[in-house]
Amino acid sequence: MPSRVVDYLVRAVSTLGVRHIFGVDGANIEDLYDALFDAPDDVAGIVAKHEFSAATMADGYARSTGGLGVVAATSGGGAMNLVAGLAESFASRVPVLALVGQPPTALEGNGAFQDSSGLAGTIDAARMFGAITQYCARVDSVAELPDKLSRAVDAARRGGPAVLLLPKDVQQSDIGDIPPFRSSPPTHRRDENGLARVRAALTAARTLGKIVIIVGDQVARDDARAELARLARTLDASVGVAPDAKDTYDNADPAYCGVAGSMGHPELSAALRAATLCLIVGTPMPITARTGLDELLAGCTVAHIGVAAPYLSAIHATSTDLARDLAELADEFTEGVEESSHPYPPHAPTPLRVPESTGPGLRYRELVETIEALLPEGTDVFADAGNTGAAVVHHLRVPRGGRFVVALGMGGMGYAFGAAIGSAFARHRGPSGIRRTVVIAGDGAFYMHGMELHTAIEHQLPVIFIVLNNNAHAMCVTREQLYYRDRYSFNRFRPTNLGAGIDAMFPELSAYSVRTTAELAIALGRCVESEGPTFISIDVDPDEVPPFIPFLATLEKKP
């Protein structure tokens, strides 16, 4: 049987160590699914309900594996639906390869259905995707494929999505005698001069006072958690984390000062006030990680190590391999430092004080702490945008050995549903059995992309979907109250019973509606014991102000 371009692509994905291609089928990508059917069992095609969610599945898969995620979509609306998902991957530097079908070459510019060639006044997909990717190319012939695929993979590995636009006739073409795809190992950039300056600054700071480390999500991507922890111990540093990096440092360690930025903890601010130097690792410190800290950071020396330069003035060293570079730094400062082997006592940063809520339902802190207490070690947590996300980032201690993901690149509502499913495909089998994944999202996010839970049901993934239902876009409600004199609300909706609705839609799914912490504990205990997907709806108050510093600062200024 002749080997086609689509067969070559599937074998290339397998060579890259990727075991799942996420997407939505359609006429101009169906040949890829035909190739997946005939491929060995090491690559599976997963059909999502929407291309945005397929893109976030690939994104979540990449974040959890530290490798590449792959998404496939057809032309026209299918391709357009990828944009928001790929934009999140671009803003968060997540390596995703998108294979996007196009109409046959001969029909481009000649009235083809879903034509996006840019010819004859049509939409230009290459220009559109070019703005939100590290690389985008149209493959117009078999001969172009190996080089463009290699360029796309290399670009994605540098951090961000890459897109190949594949006309249907090219997908069907015989590959001929083109040799199999060979992936070169990722290349790492290392700034020797910058690292020397950071090293000198740390040496000076150790003799002068206290060091604080703020950690970003690159530490998780580079699998550098152990090296980061060892460096923190050798420097006797206090450690804070960016909101999307809660799993990079043990949340129960006595040195842990909590989260930085708009959902941050007062312990970290107190530590920075007494610091001689702040070492920022693996985050450029965007506003979400920097809110409330600019003045404190201006009062001490700031050093930075990471792939992306920081948004604030700092001694900067570029590093695309934090595991290696942090290990070398730790080696330099280990002399005379004894490694501790005893277990750490439980520790939790002090939560921000929020106004007392008198409305219906559970309070953010009590429900998050109830969830935290019941999650086994190794559980992965995906939080969605809005007041729910702010509460989870602030209050939840990440289970040891688990991942924590919140999409702050674009902040797209509904991201967590697809991303958690993509991650679960990669991680649902752990060394000790089933590894569970938890989605915590609001009802607004659920209505956007929550029906992806059907994909989890289809594949019997151990994902617990927890939806906080306040019948509102609550962060928008809070903003209406704080910034627009509470004169109106466009963001409150008719009451719904999500738990009952999901229970009726999917009779084989265990679905619960809870209104008290006792009911939540019982329901979540049952979910944790389940081998497949489960669903919990929790009634909450749309008027509760979350632990979000910009909101609390505005409230303090009000008479």
Side-chain angles (χ1 to χ4, degrees):
M1 180 178 177
S3 182
R4 303 160 295 172
V5 162
V6 286
D7 300 309
Y8 180 93
L9 287 169
V10 171
R11 288 194 296 270
V13 166
S14 176
T15 299
L16 290 164
V18 178
R19 297 294 171 255
H20 298 85
I21 296 177
F22 304 97
V24 178
D25 201 355
N28 284 327
I29 200 64
E30 63 193 0
D31 293 284
L32 182 69
Y33 286 90
D34 183 62
L36 280 166
F37 178 80
D38 290 322
D41 292 338
D42 61 348
V43 182
I46 307 299
V47 172
K49 305 299 167 286
H50 190 281
E51 288 84 2
F52 168 82
S53 291
T56 63
M57 287 178 193
D59 180 292
Y61 183 95
R63 294 195 202 215
S64 287
T65 62
L68 186 72
V70 180
V71 62
T74 190
S75 53
M80 300 301 167
N81 285 342
L82 289 175
V83 170
L86 294 182
E88 169 60 39
S89 299
F90 181 77
S92 295
R93 310 180 311 281
V94 180
V96 171
L97 173 64
L99 306 173
V100 182
Q102 300 288 278
T105 307
L107 297 180
E108 291 179 335
N110 290 309
F113 179 59
Q114 297 182 336
D115 189 354
S116 57
S117 64
L119 301 174
T122 61
I123 292 170
D124 189 336
R127 287 185 62 190
M128 178 183 71
F129 285 118
I132 55 167
T133 59
Q134 299 291 350
Y135 177 83
C136 179
R138 188 181 298 273
V139 180
D140 289 317
S141 69
V142 172
E144 295 178 357
L145 179 62
D147 177 63
K148 289 184 175 179
L149 177 59
S150 292
R151 289 174 181 270
V153 170
D154 289 345
R157 281 174 165 168
R158 290 195 295 272
V163 171
L164 290 179
L165 301 169
L166 302 161
K168 186 174 177 69
D169 56 316
V170 174
Q171 294 178 53
Q172 295 172 330
S173 297
D174 192 314
I175 201 67
D177 57 359
I178 290 177
F181 177 78
R182 290 289 181 264
S183 174
S184 56
T187 57
H188 294 294
R189 289 178 290 132
R190 177 183 171 92
D191 180 0
E192 297 288 356
N193 292 332
L195 286 169
R197 290 191 295 272
V198 170
R199 193 179 299 115
L202 288 171
T203 301
R206 288 184 84 199
T207 64
L208 296 173
K210 186 69 176 174
I211 294 172
V212 173
I213 300 176
I214 298 179
V215 189
D217 67 333
Q218 189 189 340
V219 168
R221 311 277 183 82
D222 292 357
D223 196 15
R225 296 176 184 85
E227 293 78 6
L228 182 278
R230 189 160 68 90
L231 177 62
R233 288 195 298 271
T234 61
L235 296 174
D236 190 26
S238 298
V239 180
V241 296
D244 56 352
K246 288 197 72 174
D247 61 346
T248 57
Y249 195 79
D250 187 347
N251 291 189
D253 190 301
Y256 179 63
C257 292
V259 179
S262 53
M263 294 158 272
H265 290 92
E267 277 93 338
L268 182 57
S269 297
L272 282 171
R273 287 189 189 95
T276 301
L277 179 141
C278 178
L279 174 64
I280 300 170
V281 182
T283 172
M285 291 294 282
I287 288 295
T288 51
R290 207 171 75 239
T291 296
L293 301 181
D294 279 322
E295 185 176 339
L296 296 172
L297 290 168
C300 66
T301 301
V302 178
H304 179 273
I305 305 174
V307 67
Y311 293 109
L312 69 167
S313 178
I315 302 165
H316 171 61
T318 298
S319 171
T320 62
D321 186 355
L322 288 176
R324 181 181 67 176
D325 292 335
L326 294 181
E328 289 187 7
L329 280 175
D331 288 343
E332 295 223 7
F333 296 107
T334 51
E335 186 176 350
V337 177
E338 294 185 7
E339 291 287 326
S340 173
S341 60
H342 64 79
Y344 296 119
H347 170 74
T350 304
L352 292 169
R353 296 187 63 177
V354 298
E356 184 177 350
S357 177
T358 58
L362 296 183
R363 303 296 169 255
Y364 290 128
R365 182 179 175 183
E366 64 181 354
L367 72 88
V368 171
E369 289 179 349
T370 301
I371 292 168
E372 174 196 304
L374 289 163
L375 296 184
E377 288 194 4
T379 300
D380 299 327
V381 179
F382 284 72
D384 217 292
N387 284 3
T388 294
V392 174
V393 167
H394 189 74
H395 291 301
L396 183 79
R397 286 194 301 183
V398 178
R400 283 194 175 104
R403 289 299 320 269
F404 180 84
V405 177
V406 57
L408 295 178
M410 287 286 110
M413 290 173 63
Y415 164 89
F417 292 94
I421 291 168
S423 174
F425 273 107
R427 285 171 58 86
H428 73 281
R429 293 292 179 189
S432 58
I434 293 175
R435 183 198 298 270
R436 285 166 182 79
T437 303
V438 176
V439 173
I440 310 179
D443 55 318
F446 172 81
Y447 286 125
M448 288 190 177
H449 294 288
M451 282 298 105
E452 283 303 331
L453 71 89
H454 184 267
T455 306
I457 295 170
E458 182 77 16
H459 296 276
Q460 279 299 290
L461 295 172
V463 183
I464 303 171
F465 296 92
I466 301 176
V467 177
L468 277 55
N469 184 17
N470 49 29
N471 301 296
H473 286 166
M475 184 164 273
C476 295
V477 169
T478 305
R479 296 183 66 86
E480 288 171 338
Q481 293 170 336
L482 294 180
Y483 305 129
Y484 297 95
R485 295 180 287 159
D486 198 18
R487 295 178 298 128
Y488 53 80
S489 182
F490 289 95
N491 293 288
R492 297 178 190 269
F493 311 123
R494 291 179 183 272
T496 59
N497 190 334
L498 284 179
I502 293 300
D503 188 49
M505 284 184 70
F506 305 108
E508 71 274 32
L509 180 73
S510 295
Y512 306 91
S513 299
V514 303
R515 294 171 179 81
T516 68
T517 53
E519 291 176 353
L520 174 57
I522 293 169
L524 185 54
R526 292 172 180 168
C527 293
V528 167
E529 295 300 319
S530 174
E531 294 188 359
T534 52
F535 183 92
I536 300 175
S537 173
I538 306 173
D539 286 353
V540 294
D541 181 6
D543 295 303
E544 181 179 3
V545 177
F548 190 69
I549 290 173
F551 292 167
L552 300 178
T554 300
L555 283 169
E556 286 181 3
K557 295 175 184 176
K558 285 185 174 291

